[in-house]
Amino acid sequence: MARMTLSHVGKVYDDGTRAVTDLNIDIDDGEFLVFVGPSGCGKTTALRMVAGLETISEGEVMIGDRVVNNVPPRDRDVAMVFQSYALYPHLTVRDNIGFGLQLRKMPKPELNERVEKAASVLGLSEYLDRKPRNLSGGQRQRVAMGRAIVRQPQAFLMDEPLSNLDAKLRVQMRAEIGRLQRDLNVTTIYVTHDQTEAMTLGHRVAVMKKGVLQQIAAPQDLYDHPDNVFVAGFIGSPAMNLLSGDLLRDDAGTYSVQIGKEVIICPASVLTARPALASYVGKPLIVGIRPEDIEDAALVSGAEGRTLSGIAELVEPLGSDLMVHLSTDAPAAGSEDLAELDKEVAPAGPLAERTIIVARFSPRSAVQLGSPVAMALDTERLHFFDSASGHAVWDK
């Protein structure tokens, strides 16, 4: 395994298209780093520059103690796992796994030992003499991973390896990849557009937008403390609700935020955690609230001063909770960052000139489709962003 460093790395194609801008990341020995972001954000290009499959226009990539900008892919001592498996259909599982070692003319006894050990780790021992066409999608992906494992590289590079699998297999293989990385303790860079994969696999997650790194942090820190509106809207499923609001302060020094026609009182702890918020009095803000921090007010005591009104447009019983989509007069936030998000992950949208808020209610809620609902917000969990820059409001 090896430490990896990307210093001011950039990629500009011959036609002038810029894919990656000033990427700076230090990846520790044995770390599992995940790049995530919408299509075209530069995450795969960054991975391919590390692998040597794309030339580096700017900056340096280091693997271990050497700069590898001009080192051919085969000499970088990294193993790539692709989404398409890239197996040889005419070779057996055994020969596919050991193909790279055969090219290196490794002695047969050592080659067989490595192949059988990798097959055992991946649960492929009974399939070693089969051809890829006789395997399931999950088994084929394990063969592709076995081919990477036997090389004993300094790092694994994985480019959306689960995207061709069905939902059940994705969950199973996600768990296997996580276990395998922990057992082997190999430095790994993993690219995905699926934030669930990113959050469950990565020691750290790097969120990209238009070739620029937006934030890199541990998954829970990314979720609880997004640096900007883009990260807030991209990370989380369902996504964070993002609304336009105005910060108010009364004569007693109590802060509140007006969202549409309703006023939400902010507890003192919110201002303590975000001292810079006081400078926004009388100014517009983007206010964020995650679905799990909204409850049916009928089930909550002391909800006064922290409710929004809506109409239930869609009710989805999920057993453990109730996913409710509510139309409301609260104005949706609008920004360039939010425009970059795919429609399916956008946190709020218009419905007959109203805004949709997604809430995760307790299954005890008696909410009915088409009925008016009072939503109680957990005001301790509110997020605030600058309307112009999209940056989170904290202490600066």
Side-chain angles (χ1 to χ4, degrees):
M1 60 183 178
R3 181 181 177 88
M4 304 173 72
T5 302
L6 285 69
S7 299
H8 303 290
V9 170
K11 174 65 180 179
V12 181
Y13 289 101
D14 292 339
D15 63 0
T17 301
R18 177 168 283 280
V20 176
T21 301
D22 197 29
L23 185 59
N24 293 280
I25 301 177
D26 289 322
I27 307 165
D28 290 332
D29 285 351
E31 182 176 6
F32 197 131
L33 176 74
V34 180
F35 280 109
V36 69
S39 298
C41 71
K43 56 188 185 293
T44 294
T45 301
L47 184 79
R48 289 174 64 85
M49 284 193 286
V50 174
L53 302 177
E54 293 279 2
T55 58
I56 300 166
S57 304
E58 302 154 356
E60 287 184 346
V61 172
M62 293 186 68
I63 300 176
D65 296 325
R66 63 173 180 158
V67 176
V68 297
N69 287 36
N70 299 312
V71 176
R74 66 179 179 274
D75 297 327
R76 295 194 181 196
D77 197 17
V78 297
M80 191 106 173
V81 179
F82 299 93
Q83 67 184 66
S84 60
Y85 316 140
L87 302 180
Y88 296 103
H90 62 289
L91 298 182
T92 64
V93 169
R94 182 188 303 276
D95 290 337
N96 264 289
I97 293 176
F99 186 77
L101 303 184
Q102 289 177 353
L103 291 180
R104 296 182 181 184
K105 303 190 183 305
M106 178 175 286
K108 191 114 180 145
E110 183 181 355
L111 185 153
N112 286 334
E113 181 182 352
R114 284 202 193 182
V115 169
E116 288 170 10
K117 182 177 180 180
S120 176
V121 168
L122 293 164
L124 292 171
S125 297
E126 61 183 289
Y127 306 108
L128 283 172
D129 296 320
R130 292 191 186 182
K131 300 286 181 64
R133 65 176 176 272
N134 297 320
L135 302 177
S136 69
Q139 289 165 344
R140 292 177 193 176
Q141 191 56 272
R142 287 203 292 272
V143 174
M145 293 184 63
R147 187 171 52 196
I149 291 170
V150 294
R151 291 179 53 189
Q152 299 179 357
Q154 292 191 82
F156 290 147
L157 307 178
M158 301 188 181
D159 186 11
E160 305 211 36
L162 307 184
S163 61
N164 289 336
L165 305 181
D166 61 37
K168 184 177 180 180
L169 271 176
R170 286 175 75 102
V171 174
Q172 178 185 339
M173 283 300 300
R174 192 171 71 218
E176 289 190 18
I177 288 173
R179 174 188 59 80
L180 192 63
Q181 197 277 336
R182 288 193 300 272
D183 291 347
L184 299 176
N185 196 33
V186 176
T187 308
T188 302
I189 303 178
Y190 186 104
V191 163
T192 181
H193 65 276
D194 185 330
Q195 56 152 309
T196 301
E197 284 180 25
M199 297 291 281
T200 54
L201 285 173
H203 298 156
R204 287 190 299 162
V205 177
V207 183
M208 300 277 291
K209 184 198 79 169
K210 285 188 172 182
V212 177
L213 179 64
Q214 300 295 300
Q215 185 175 358
I216 181 167
Q220 195 62 47
D221 193 41
L222 202 69
Y223 188 82
D224 290 336
H225 304 99
D227 277 353
N228 57 45
V229 165
F230 180 83
V231 176
F234 190 82
I235 297 296
S237 181
M240 181 186 290
N241 300 287
L242 294 163
L243 308 167
S244 290
D246 293 283
L247 190 67
L248 310 174
R249 183 179 184 275
D250 65 18
D251 293 338
T254 301
Y255 288 84
S256 59
V257 60
Q258 182 164 353
I259 301 174
K261 299 176 182 177
E262 297 172 287
V263 175
I264 306 297
I265 297 173
C266 300
S269 58
V270 169
L271 272 296
T272 301
R274 301 169 178 80
L277 196 59
S279 65
Y280 282 84
V281 172
K283 299 178 184 178
L285 281 165
I286 295 175
V287 182
I289 184 75
R290 292 203 180 275
E292 61 269 27
D293 297 324
I294 307 174
E295 183 56 278
D296 184 346
L299 303 178
V300 177
S301 60
E304 297 81 8
R306 57 187 184 97
T307 62
L308 293 176
S309 301
I311 303 293
E313 302 288 351
L314 177 64
V315 179
E316 300 175 306
L318 301 177
S320 60
D321 45 39
L322 204 63
M323 203 69 69
V324 185
H325 298 238
L326 305 109
S327 63
T328 173
D329 290 327
S335 74
E336 181 183 348
D337 279 340
L338 294 179
E340 290 297 319
L341 294 169
D342 293 336
K343 290 182 180 179
E344 65 267 22
V345 301
L351 179 68
E353 298 184 352
R354 290 166 66 83
T355 299
I356 293 296
I357 292 178
V358 180
R360 196 187 292 271
F361 283 180
S362 163
R364 295 182 293 111
S365 171
V367 61
Q368 296 293 317
L369 193 64
S371 64
V373 181
M375 297 170 272
L377 311 186
D378 182 349
T379 49
E380 299 275 357
R381 304 284 296 170
L382 291 175
H383 296 258
F384 297 91
F385 305 91
D386 184 279
S387 293
S389 68
H391 294 154
V393 178
W394 289 103
D395 56 355
K396 296 180 181 178

